Amino acid sequence: MTLMSAQEADFGQTPSQTVGPYFAYGLTATQYGYDFNQPFDAVVALDNAAGERIRLEGRVIDGDGNPIGDALVEISQADGEGNYPQTPAEARDIGFRAFGRTGTGTDSQNRFVFHTVKPGAETPGEAPHINVIVLMRGLLLHAFTRVYFSDEAEANAKDAVLASVPAERRHTLVAERVEQGGAVSYRFDIRMQGADETVFFDV
Amino acid sequence: MLTPTQTKAPSAILTPRDWEAHPSYVYPGYKSTVKRGPQKPLVPLKASLGELQQPVYGHDSIGEFDHDLTRNARKNGEPLGERMILTGQVLDERRRPVANTLVELWQANASGRYVHKVDQHDAPLDPNFLGAGRCLTDSEGRYRFLTIKPGAYPWGNHPNAWRPQHIHLSLFGQSFASRLVTQMYFPGDPLLQYDPMITGTPERYRNRLIADFSLDITEEGYALGYQFDIVLRGADETPFENR
Protein backbone atom coordinates (compact mmCIF):
# COMPACT_ATOMS: atom_id res chain seq x y z
CA MET A 1 0.00 0.00 0.00
CA THR A 2 1.36 3.36 -0.95
CA LEU A 3 0.55 6.65 0.63
CA MET A 4 -2.09 8.59 -1.22
CA SER A 5 -0.53 11.58 -2.89
CA ALA A 6 -1.61 15.11 -2.09
CA GLN A 7 -3.14 15.41 -5.54
CA GLU A 8 -4.93 12.07 -5.41
CA ALA A 9 -6.48 12.93 -2.04
CA ASP A 10 -8.37 15.77 -3.63
CA PHE A 11 -9.42 14.71 -7.11
CA GLY A 12 -11.36 17.21 -9.16
CA GLN A 13 -11.01 20.05 -11.64
CA THR A 14 -7.57 21.59 -11.62
CA PRO A 15 -7.92 25.22 -10.55
CA SER A 16 -7.15 27.92 -13.08
CA GLN A 17 -4.20 30.27 -12.61
CA THR A 18 -3.26 33.46 -14.43
CA VAL A 19 -1.35 33.15 -17.69
CA GLY A 20 1.04 35.72 -16.13
CA PRO A 21 3.04 38.44 -17.84
CA TYR A 22 5.58 36.16 -19.53
CA PHE A 23 3.48 33.87 -21.70
CA ALA A 24 4.74 35.29 -24.98
CA TYR A 25 7.60 32.90 -25.72
CA GLY A 26 5.50 29.93 -24.65
CA LEU A 27 2.28 30.64 -26.55
CA THR A 28 3.03 33.31 -29.17
CA ALA A 29 6.77 32.98 -29.68
CA THR A 30 6.94 33.81 -33.39
CA GLN A 31 4.72 36.87 -33.02
CA TYR A 32 6.97 38.28 -30.30
CA GLY A 33 10.23 37.43 -32.07
CA TYR A 34 11.44 34.51 -29.98
CA ASP A 35 13.29 31.57 -31.50
CA PHE A 36 10.46 29.06 -31.18
CA ASN A 37 7.45 28.39 -33.37
CA GLN A 38 3.83 28.66 -32.32
CA PRO A 39 0.99 26.28 -33.16
CA PHE A 40 -1.62 29.02 -33.66
CA ASP A 41 -1.51 32.60 -34.85
CA ALA A 42 -3.71 35.51 -35.93
CA VAL A 43 -4.40 34.11 -39.39
CA VAL A 44 -7.57 32.07 -39.12
CA ALA A 45 -8.57 32.04 -42.79
CA LEU A 46 -6.48 31.85 -45.96
CA ASP A 47 -7.56 33.34 -49.29
CA ASN A 48 -9.51 30.27 -50.35
CA ALA A 49 -11.61 30.06 -47.18
CA ALA A 50 -15.37 30.28 -47.62
CA GLY A 51 -16.82 33.60 -46.53
CA GLU A 52 -16.32 37.33 -46.61
CA ARG A 53 -12.78 38.28 -45.65
CA ILE A 54 -12.65 40.42 -42.53
CA ARG A 55 -10.28 41.73 -39.91
CA LEU A 56 -11.40 41.41 -36.32
CA GLU A 57 -9.60 44.00 -34.28
CA GLY A 58 -9.86 45.66 -30.92
CA ARG A 59 -8.26 46.36 -27.62
CA VAL A 60 -8.54 44.86 -24.16
CA ILE A 61 -9.20 47.70 -21.72
CA ASP A 62 -8.67 47.68 -17.96
CA GLY A 63 -10.69 49.31 -15.18
CA ASP A 64 -8.80 52.59 -15.60
CA GLY A 65 -9.64 52.74 -19.31
CA ASN A 66 -6.12 51.84 -20.41
CA PRO A 67 -5.45 49.37 -23.23
CA ILE A 68 -3.70 46.27 -21.93
CA GLY A 69 -0.39 45.35 -23.59
CA ASP A 70 0.05 41.92 -22.07
CA ALA A 71 -3.26 40.28 -22.92
CA LEU A 72 -3.70 37.15 -25.01
CA VAL A 73 -6.83 36.69 -27.11
CA GLU A 74 -7.99 33.40 -28.61
CA ILE A 75 -10.92 32.97 -30.99
CA SER A 76 -12.85 30.02 -32.35
CA GLN A 77 -15.39 30.32 -35.14
CA ALA A 78 -17.07 28.62 -38.08
CA ASP A 79 -16.20 29.55 -41.65
CA GLY A 80 -18.52 31.48 -43.95
CA GLU A 81 -20.66 28.40 -44.45
CA GLY A 82 -20.97 27.61 -40.76
CA ASN A 83 -18.45 24.75 -40.82
CA TYR A 84 -15.55 23.77 -38.59
CA PRO A 85 -12.73 21.67 -40.02
CA GLN A 86 -12.24 18.45 -38.09
CA THR A 87 -8.70 17.50 -39.10
CA PRO A 88 -5.48 19.31 -40.07
CA ALA A 89 -5.90 17.96 -43.62
CA GLU A 90 -9.39 19.38 -43.90
CA ALA A 91 -8.21 22.71 -42.47
CA ARG A 92 -5.53 22.85 -45.17
CA ASP A 93 -7.99 21.93 -47.92
CA ILE A 94 -10.50 24.61 -47.06
CA GLY A 95 -7.91 27.21 -46.00
CA PHE A 96 -9.55 27.65 -42.65
CA ARG A 97 -8.23 26.79 -39.18
CA ALA A 98 -11.26 27.90 -37.12
CA PHE A 99 -8.94 28.92 -34.28
CA GLY A 100 -6.67 31.90 -33.75
CA ARG A 101 -4.42 33.23 -31.04
CA THR A 102 -2.63 36.56 -30.71
CA GLY A 103 -1.10 38.75 -28.03
CA THR A 104 -1.74 42.48 -27.73
CA GLY A 105 1.92 43.34 -27.08
CA THR A 106 3.28 43.70 -30.61
CA ASP A 107 0.89 46.36 -31.90
CA SER A 108 1.59 50.07 -31.32
CA GLN A 109 -1.96 50.55 -30.06
CA ASN A 110 -2.02 47.28 -28.11
CA ARG A 111 -4.65 45.92 -30.46
CA PHE A 112 -5.39 42.32 -31.30
CA VAL A 113 -5.92 41.85 -35.05
CA PHE A 114 -7.24 38.60 -36.54
CA HIS A 115 -7.39 37.87 -40.25
CA THR A 116 -10.41 35.72 -40.81
CA VAL A 117 -13.77 35.42 -42.55
CA LYS A 118 -17.16 36.43 -41.31
CA PRO A 119 -18.67 33.24 -39.90
CA GLY A 120 -21.91 31.76 -41.10
CA ALA A 121 -24.55 30.66 -38.63
CA GLU A 122 -23.62 27.33 -37.03
CA THR A 123 -27.18 26.18 -36.54
CA PRO A 124 -30.50 27.61 -37.76
CA GLY A 125 -31.72 30.43 -35.57
CA GLU A 126 -28.30 31.20 -34.18
CA ALA A 127 -26.77 34.52 -35.17
CA PRO A 128 -23.25 34.43 -36.63
CA HIS A 129 -20.68 34.92 -33.89
CA ILE A 130 -17.07 34.34 -32.88
CA ASN A 131 -16.17 32.70 -29.55
CA VAL A 132 -13.49 34.56 -27.61
CA ILE A 133 -11.21 33.72 -24.69
CA VAL A 134 -9.29 36.52 -22.96
CA LEU A 135 -6.23 35.80 -20.83
CA MET A 136 -3.77 38.13 -19.12
CA ARG A 137 -1.68 38.89 -16.08
CA GLY A 138 -4.10 39.59 -13.26
CA LEU A 139 -6.87 37.45 -14.67
CA LEU A 140 -7.03 34.35 -12.49
CA LEU A 141 -9.46 32.53 -14.77
CA HIS A 142 -9.67 33.26 -18.50
CA ALA A 143 -12.86 35.05 -19.53
CA PHE A 144 -15.25 33.85 -22.26
CA THR A 145 -17.12 36.25 -24.47
CA ARG A 146 -18.65 36.35 -27.97
CA VAL A 147 -18.46 38.70 -30.91
CA TYR A 148 -21.68 39.40 -32.81
CA PHE A 149 -21.88 41.63 -35.89
CA SER A 150 -23.45 45.08 -36.21
CA ASP A 151 -24.83 44.32 -39.72
CA GLU A 152 -26.74 41.27 -38.49
CA ALA A 153 -29.43 43.09 -36.54
CA GLU A 154 -32.19 40.75 -37.68
CA ALA A 155 -30.34 37.55 -36.78
CA ASN A 156 -29.07 39.10 -33.54
CA ALA A 157 -32.62 39.92 -32.50
CA LYS A 158 -33.54 36.23 -32.74
CA ASP A 159 -30.40 34.80 -31.10
CA ALA A 160 -31.14 32.93 -27.87
CA VAL A 161 -27.80 33.72 -26.25
CA LEU A 162 -28.12 37.45 -26.92
CA ALA A 163 -31.68 37.29 -25.63
CA SER A 164 -30.35 35.87 -22.34
CA VAL A 165 -28.17 38.95 -21.87
CA PRO A 166 -29.73 41.99 -20.18
CA ALA A 167 -30.83 44.34 -23.00
CA GLU A 168 -28.74 47.26 -21.79
CA ARG A 169 -25.55 45.15 -21.98
CA ARG A 170 -26.04 43.50 -25.39
CA HIS A 171 -24.18 46.24 -27.23
CA THR A 172 -20.94 45.13 -25.52
CA LEU A 173 -21.09 41.94 -27.61
CA VAL A 174 -21.63 43.57 -31.00
CA ALA A 175 -18.64 44.45 -33.18
CA GLU A 176 -18.93 47.53 -35.37
CA ARG A 177 -18.49 47.02 -39.12
CA VAL A 178 -16.05 49.46 -40.73
CA GLU A 179 -15.44 49.50 -44.49
CA GLN A 180 -12.33 51.28 -45.66
CA GLY A 181 -10.74 51.05 -49.12
CA GLY A 182 -12.58 47.86 -49.93
CA ALA A 183 -11.42 46.12 -46.72
CA VAL A 184 -13.86 45.11 -44.02
CA SER A 185 -12.96 45.35 -40.34
CA TYR A 186 -15.01 44.70 -37.29
CA ARG A 187 -14.03 46.68 -34.21
CA PHE A 188 -14.54 44.97 -30.89
CA ASP A 189 -13.08 46.37 -27.69
CA ILE A 190 -13.15 44.13 -24.64
CA ARG A 191 -13.74 46.11 -21.47
CA MET A 192 -12.80 44.18 -18.35
CA GLN A 193 -14.62 46.54 -15.97
CA GLY A 194 -16.70 49.70 -15.77
CA ALA A 195 -20.13 50.82 -16.92
CA ASP A 196 -19.64 49.17 -20.31
CA GLU A 197 -17.99 46.01 -18.97
CA THR A 198 -18.12 43.40 -21.71
CA VAL A 199 -20.52 40.56 -21.03
CA PHE A 200 -18.55 37.48 -20.01
CA PHE A 201 -20.18 34.08 -20.04
CA ASP A 202 -20.21 31.14 -17.69
CA VAL A 203 -19.73 28.53 -20.41
CA MET B 1 -0.61 12.12 -39.15
CA LEU B 2 -1.82 13.36 -35.83
CA THR B 3 -5.52 13.88 -35.95
CA PRO B 4 -6.94 15.37 -32.80
CA THR B 5 -10.12 13.85 -31.56
CA GLN B 6 -13.02 16.08 -32.37
CA THR B 7 -16.32 16.64 -30.76
CA LYS B 8 -18.95 15.45 -33.19
CA ALA B 9 -21.95 15.71 -30.97
CA PRO B 10 -23.29 19.22 -30.39
CA SER B 11 -25.60 17.76 -27.79
CA ALA B 12 -22.68 16.74 -25.64
CA ILE B 13 -22.66 19.17 -22.77
CA LEU B 14 -19.68 19.65 -20.55
CA THR B 15 -19.69 19.09 -16.84
CA PRO B 16 -20.13 22.45 -15.15
CA ARG B 17 -17.15 24.53 -14.16
CA ASP B 18 -16.36 23.93 -10.48
CA TRP B 19 -16.57 27.51 -9.29
CA GLU B 20 -15.50 26.54 -5.76
CA ALA B 21 -12.16 25.24 -6.96
CA HIS B 22 -11.20 28.29 -9.02
CA PRO B 23 -9.96 31.59 -7.66
CA SER B 24 -12.38 34.51 -7.89
CA TYR B 25 -11.68 37.07 -10.60
CA VAL B 26 -10.85 39.87 -8.22
CA TYR B 27 -8.49 38.92 -5.37
CA PRO B 28 -6.96 42.08 -3.87
CA GLY B 29 -3.94 40.20 -2.50
CA TYR B 30 -2.87 39.90 -6.13
CA LYS B 31 -2.89 43.56 -7.12
CA SER B 32 -3.25 43.20 -10.89
CA THR B 33 -6.65 41.52 -10.46
CA VAL B 34 -8.20 44.70 -9.06
CA LYS B 35 -8.40 46.54 -12.40
CA ARG B 36 -8.59 43.51 -14.64
CA GLY B 37 -11.00 40.96 -13.20
CA PRO B 38 -14.61 41.24 -14.42
CA GLN B 39 -16.90 42.68 -11.74
CA LYS B 40 -20.35 42.00 -13.14
CA PRO B 41 -21.91 38.54 -12.81
CA LEU B 42 -21.19 36.11 -15.65
CA VAL B 43 -24.12 35.28 -17.91
CA PRO B 44 -24.82 31.51 -18.01
CA LEU B 45 -24.39 30.01 -21.47
CA LYS B 46 -25.13 26.43 -22.42
CA ALA B 47 -22.21 25.34 -24.58
CA SER B 48 -23.20 25.16 -28.23
CA LEU B 49 -21.38 23.80 -31.26
CA GLY B 50 -18.75 26.51 -31.29
CA GLU B 51 -17.69 26.05 -27.68
CA LEU B 52 -17.50 22.30 -28.23
CA GLN B 53 -14.97 22.49 -31.03
CA GLN B 54 -11.37 21.67 -30.34
CA PRO B 55 -8.65 23.61 -32.15
CA VAL B 56 -7.16 21.72 -35.06
CA TYR B 57 -3.40 21.28 -34.98
CA GLY B 58 -1.10 18.99 -36.88
CA HIS B 59 2.20 17.20 -36.49
CA ASP B 60 3.91 20.24 -38.00
CA SER B 61 3.02 22.19 -34.85
CA ILE B 62 5.29 20.07 -32.68
CA GLY B 63 9.01 19.67 -33.20
CA GLU B 64 11.04 16.57 -32.36
CA PHE B 65 12.49 18.06 -29.16
CA ASP B 66 9.63 20.31 -28.11
CA HIS B 67 8.85 18.05 -25.13
CA ASP B 68 12.51 18.25 -24.07
CA LEU B 69 13.40 21.73 -22.85
CA THR B 70 16.94 20.60 -22.10
CA ARG B 71 17.45 20.18 -25.85
CA ASN B 72 15.01 22.36 -27.78
CA ALA B 73 16.99 25.59 -27.32
CA ARG B 74 20.58 24.41 -27.01
CA LYS B 75 23.17 26.73 -28.51
CA ASN B 76 26.52 25.58 -27.14
CA GLY B 77 25.89 23.15 -24.30
CA GLU B 78 23.49 21.84 -21.69
CA PRO B 79 21.23 24.22 -19.82
CA LEU B 80 22.22 24.87 -16.19
CA GLY B 81 20.23 23.60 -13.25
CA GLU B 82 18.50 20.57 -11.85
CA ARG B 83 17.11 18.36 -14.62
CA MET B 84 13.58 17.22 -13.95
CA ILE B 85 10.96 15.04 -15.60
CA LEU B 86 7.43 16.38 -15.41
CA THR B 87 4.79 13.84 -16.29
CA GLY B 88 1.19 13.07 -15.50
CA GLN B 89 -2.17 12.22 -16.90
CA VAL B 90 -4.74 14.59 -18.32
CA LEU B 91 -8.10 13.30 -17.16
CA ASP B 92 -11.67 14.43 -17.09
CA GLU B 93 -13.74 14.41 -13.93
CA ARG B 94 -14.78 10.80 -14.47
CA ARG B 95 -11.12 9.83 -14.71
CA ARG B 96 -11.39 9.25 -18.44
CA PRO B 97 -8.06 10.01 -20.10
CA VAL B 98 -7.97 13.00 -22.43
CA ALA B 99 -5.94 11.57 -25.30
CA ASN B 100 -4.09 13.41 -28.05
CA THR B 101 -4.54 16.85 -26.56
CA LEU B 102 -2.01 19.66 -26.75
CA VAL B 103 -0.11 20.59 -23.58
CA GLU B 104 1.90 23.81 -23.77
CA LEU B 105 4.41 24.75 -21.08
CA TRP B 106 6.55 27.76 -20.17
CA GLN B 107 8.72 28.65 -17.20
CA ALA B 108 11.69 30.56 -15.77
CA ASN B 109 15.20 29.11 -15.98
CA ALA B 110 17.11 27.63 -13.01
CA SER B 111 18.04 31.07 -11.71
CA GLY B 112 14.50 32.41 -11.82
CA ARG B 113 14.77 34.42 -15.01
CA TYR B 114 12.36 34.42 -17.91
CA VAL B 115 13.61 35.03 -21.41
CA HIS B 116 10.75 37.52 -21.77
CA LYS B 117 11.84 41.04 -22.75
CA VAL B 118 10.06 42.77 -19.90
CA ASP B 119 11.45 40.51 -17.17
CA GLN B 120 13.73 42.87 -15.23
CA HIS B 121 15.05 40.40 -12.65
CA ASP B 122 18.86 40.61 -12.72
CA ALA B 123 19.43 36.85 -12.48
CA PRO B 124 21.28 35.50 -15.52
CA LEU B 125 19.73 34.22 -18.70
CA ASP B 126 20.81 30.77 -19.86
CA PRO B 127 21.83 30.71 -23.53
CA ASN B 128 20.86 27.05 -23.75
CA PHE B 129 17.42 27.32 -22.23
CA LEU B 130 14.31 28.99 -23.62
CA GLY B 131 11.82 27.61 -21.13
CA ALA B 132 9.04 26.81 -23.59
CA GLY B 133 7.80 23.43 -24.81
CA ARG B 134 4.80 21.46 -25.94
CA CYS B 135 3.63 17.92 -26.49
CA LEU B 136 0.52 15.86 -27.13
CA THR B 137 -0.94 13.44 -24.62
CA ASP B 138 -0.81 9.76 -25.56
CA SER B 139 -3.75 7.34 -25.76
CA GLU B 140 -3.87 7.19 -21.94
CA GLY B 141 -3.81 10.96 -21.60
CA ARG B 142 -0.19 10.99 -20.46
CA TYR B 143 2.18 13.85 -21.15
CA ARG B 144 5.90 13.97 -20.40
CA PHE B 145 8.39 16.83 -20.40
CA LEU B 146 12.09 16.86 -19.64
CA THR B 147 13.09 20.27 -18.33
CA ILE B 148 15.04 22.21 -15.70
CA LYS B 149 13.59 23.01 -12.30
CA PRO B 150 12.69 26.72 -12.43
CA GLY B 151 14.04 29.10 -9.82
CA ALA B 152 12.03 31.42 -7.58
CA TYR B 153 12.08 35.10 -8.49
CA PRO B 154 11.11 38.43 -6.95
CA TRP B 155 8.17 40.49 -8.17
CA GLY B 156 6.63 43.79 -7.21
CA ASN B 157 3.30 42.72 -5.78
CA HIS B 158 4.06 43.33 -2.09
CA PRO B 159 7.13 43.86 0.15
CA ASN B 160 9.67 41.06 -0.30
CA ALA B 161 7.41 39.20 -2.71
CA TRP B 162 8.96 36.15 -4.40
CA ARG B 163 7.08 33.76 -6.60
CA PRO B 164 7.39 30.12 -5.59
CA GLN B 165 9.02 27.86 -8.15
CA HIS B 166 6.37 27.05 -10.73
CA ILE B 167 5.68 25.92 -14.28
CA HIS B 168 2.90 27.35 -16.45
CA LEU B 169 0.68 24.93 -18.37
CA SER B 170 -1.92 25.51 -21.07
CA LEU B 171 -4.43 22.90 -22.25
CA PHE B 172 -7.56 22.66 -24.37
CA GLY B 173 -8.93 19.24 -23.52
CA GLN B 174 -11.97 18.13 -25.45
CA SER B 175 -13.24 21.54 -26.49
CA PHE B 176 -12.79 25.29 -26.55
CA ALA B 177 -14.93 25.49 -23.40
CA SER B 178 -12.74 23.08 -21.41
CA ARG B 179 -9.72 25.34 -21.90
CA LEU B 180 -7.44 25.54 -18.88
CA VAL B 181 -4.39 27.63 -18.11
CA THR B 182 -2.79 26.83 -14.79
CA GLN B 183 0.47 26.72 -12.85
CA MET B 184 2.13 23.74 -11.23
CA TYR B 185 3.97 24.23 -7.94
CA PHE B 186 6.50 22.07 -6.07
CA PRO B 187 5.85 20.20 -2.81
CA GLY B 188 7.32 21.71 0.35
CA ASP B 189 8.08 25.11 -1.16
CA PRO B 190 8.22 27.59 1.76
CA LEU B 191 7.04 30.42 -0.50
CA LEU B 192 3.65 28.83 -1.20
CA GLN B 193 2.03 30.30 1.90
CA TYR B 194 2.99 33.86 0.88
CA ASP B 195 2.07 33.74 -2.80
CA PRO B 196 -1.24 35.41 -3.67
CA MET B 197 -1.53 33.53 -6.95
CA ILE B 198 -1.82 30.20 -5.20
CA THR B 199 -3.54 31.53 -2.06
CA GLY B 200 -6.18 33.08 -4.32
CA THR B 201 -7.26 29.48 -4.81
CA PRO B 202 -9.53 28.30 -1.98
CA GLU B 203 -7.35 26.47 0.56
CA ARG B 204 -8.87 23.03 0.21
CA TYR B 205 -8.18 22.99 -3.54
CA ARG B 206 -4.57 24.19 -3.46
CA ASN B 207 -3.19 20.65 -3.35
CA ARG B 208 -4.50 20.24 -6.87
CA LEU B 209 -1.83 22.72 -7.98
CA ILE B 210 1.09 20.98 -6.27
CA ALA B 211 2.98 18.18 -8.02
CA ASP B 212 4.14 15.04 -6.24
CA PHE B 213 7.80 14.14 -6.13
CA SER B 214 8.23 10.58 -7.41
CA LEU B 215 11.25 8.34 -7.02
CA ASP B 216 9.68 6.02 -9.61
CA ILE B 217 9.66 8.75 -12.25
CA THR B 218 13.14 9.91 -11.21
CA GLU B 219 15.83 8.58 -13.55
CA GLU B 220 18.97 7.11 -12.01
CA GLY B 221 21.81 9.61 -12.06
CA TYR B 222 20.01 11.91 -14.46
CA ALA B 223 16.81 13.74 -13.51
CA LEU B 224 14.35 14.11 -10.64
CA GLY B 225 10.77 13.04 -11.31
CA TYR B 226 7.54 14.88 -10.57
CA GLN B 227 4.00 13.79 -11.25
CA PHE B 228 1.26 16.31 -11.92
CA ASP B 229 -2.13 15.09 -13.05
CA ILE B 230 -4.45 17.63 -14.62
CA VAL B 231 -8.22 17.32 -14.44
CA LEU B 232 -10.40 19.05 -17.01
CA ARG B 233 -14.12 19.32 -17.46
CA GLY B 234 -15.46 16.42 -19.48
CA ALA B 235 -18.58 15.46 -21.37
CA ASP B 236 -21.56 15.11 -19.12
CA GLU B 237 -24.69 13.99 -20.94
CA THR B 238 -23.48 12.37 -24.13
CA PRO B 239 -20.11 10.67 -24.38
CA PHE B 240 -17.82 12.24 -26.93
CA GLU B 241 -17.16 10.09 -29.96
CA ASN B 242 -13.79 8.46 -30.58
CA ARG B 243 -13.10 8.10 -26.91
Side-chain angles (χ1 to χ4, degrees):
Chain A
M1 165 127 181
T2 55
L3 285 173
M4 193 181 277
S5 74
Q7 267 206 300
E8 185 66 17
D10 184 25
F11 186 85
Q13 284 176 25
T14 303
S16 174
Q17 296 276 277
T18 175
V19 75
Y22 305 136
F23 61 81
Y25 66 89
L27 301 178
T28 50
T30 309
Q31 179 192 350
Y32 283 76
Y34 297 104
D35 186 16
F36 194 45
N37 67 348
Q38 60 185 75
F40 312 109
D41 60 24
V43 179
V44 179
L46 301 179
D47 288 344
N48 59 323
E52 180 187 28
R53 302 202 59 76
I54 65 167
R55 280 159 51 106
L56 175 68
E57 62 178 63
R59 298 169 302 168
V60 184
I61 297 170
D62 72 13
D64 290 328
N66 298 318
I68 292 170
D70 57 5
L72 179 71
V73 180
E74 294 177 335
I75 64 171
S76 173
Q77 62 163 103
D79 71 7
E81 292 171 349
N83 295 321
Y84 285 87
Q86 301 297 311
T87 64
E90 186 184 352
R92 269 193 304 276
D93 285 348
I94 66 173
F96 184 72
R97 301 194 64 191
F99 184 86
R101 167 190 282 174
T102 193
T104 59
T106 60
D107 180 89
S108 61
Q109 298 169 55
N110 293 137
R111 288 174 306 180
F112 56 87
V113 181
F114 289 103
H115 305 276
T116 185
V117 290
K118 189 177 175 190
E122 294 166 15
T123 54
E126 220 182 351
H129 64 273
I130 294 175
N131 304 293
V132 179
I133 290 180
V134 188
L135 308 102
M136 69 186 89
R137 168 176 63 86
L139 195 62
L140 292 164
L141 171 67
H142 55 263
F144 278 96
T145 187
R146 280 185 171 200
V147 177
Y148 288 87
F149 301 93
S150 63
D151 54 327
E152 295 284 348
E154 198 179 325
N156 291 347
K158 294 177 190 158
D159 185 82
V161 172
L162 273 178
S164 73
V165 172
E168 68 278 11
R169 299 190 65 198
R170 283 177 206 155
H171 71 278
T172 70
L173 297 175
V174 180
E176 183 197 354
R177 183 179 176 102
V178 180
E179 296 182 36
Q180 228 165 23
V184 177
S185 296
Y186 284 91
R187 303 261 171 88
F188 186 74
D189 284 345
I190 299 168
R191 295 177 191 278
M192 300 310 300
Q193 299 181 347
D196 275 335
E197 180 178 311
T198 298
V199 168
F200 298 107
F201 292 102
D202 180 4
V203 178
Chain B
M1 167 67 75
L2 295 168
T3 304
T5 309
Q6 294 291 325
T7 57
K8 305 264 187 185
S11 60
I13 299 305
L14 294 170
T15 53
R17 193 174 299 284
D18 180 358
W19 285 102
E20 271 191 33
H22 294 293
S24 52
Y25 277 121
V26 176
Y27 180 70
Y30 174 20
K31 285 182 183 170
S32 300
T33 68
V34 174
K35 295 292 186 182
R36 294 185 166 196
Q39 293 179 316
K40 293 188 176 15
L42 301 187
V43 174
L45 185 152
K46 192 174 173 180
S48 63
L49 180 61
E51 287 85 13
L52 294 173
Q53 296 292 325
Q54 187 188 54
V56 166
Y57 40 83
H59 63 292
D60 52 344
S61 301
I62 299 178
E64 184 183 359
F65 295 118
D66 283 357
H67 70 287
D68 182 351
L69 284 74
T70 72
R71 298 180 76 102
N72 75 349
R74 275 192 202 183
K75 296 287 187 288
N76 57 12
E78 293 245 6
L80 297 171
E82 188 176 295
R83 278 191 293 260
M84 61 171 277
I85 293 156
L86 173 61
T87 187
Q89 247 183 321
V90 182
L91 301 167
D92 73 11
E93 289 169 278
R94 295 182 184 170
R95 297 181 190 267
R96 291 174 295 206
V98 182
N100 206 20
T101 197
L102 182 67
V103 182
E104 297 168 279
L105 168 156
W106 68 103
Q107 62 168 94
N109 69 22
S111 62
R113 177 76 187 270
Y114 285 90
V115 173
H116 198 283
K117 293 180 179 83
V118 301
D119 184 359
Q120 297 298 308
H121 183 30
D122 63 359
L125 289 169
D126 183 338
N128 294 303
F129 189 74
L130 176 68
R134 63 180 75 99
C135 70
L136 295 176
T137 58
D138 68 12
S139 60
E140 294 180 321
R142 291 185 199 284
Y143 69 93
R144 186 177 189 276
F145 289 102
L146 182 59
T147 185
I148 298 290
K149 191 176 187 186
Y153 59 85
W155 62 310
N157 188 71
H158 55 275
N160 215 3
W162 283 71
R163 295 250 37 230
Q165 296 167 304
H166 65 277
I167 290 176
H168 295 265
L169 293 155
S170 162
L171 299 98
F172 288 94
Q174 295 171 320
S175 70
F176 192 61
S178 58
R179 179 112 180 79
L180 176 73
V181 172
T182 191
Q183 298 179 36
M184 181 227 94
Y185 301 90
F186 291 86
D189 189 329
L191 291 169
L192 290 173
Q193 63 191 301
Y194 305 109
D195 182 61
M197 286 195 205
I198 187 164
T199 60
T201 304
E203 188 167 8
R204 64 168 293 224
Y205 302 104
R206 284 177 208 159
N207 275 343
R208 297 182 187 177
L209 296 172
I210 300 172
D212 291 312
F213 171 72
S214 165
L215 211 53
D216 292 334
I217 296 167
T218 296
E219 286 192 7
E220 172 83 27
Y222 186 64
L224 293 173
Y226 290 88
Q227 173 160 344
F228 185 65
D229 293 341
I230 299 163
V231 181
L232 304 176
R233 300 162 67 195
D236 192 10
E237 293 172 3
T238 310
F240 284 74
E241 288 182 18
N242 306 329
R243 248 159 233 291

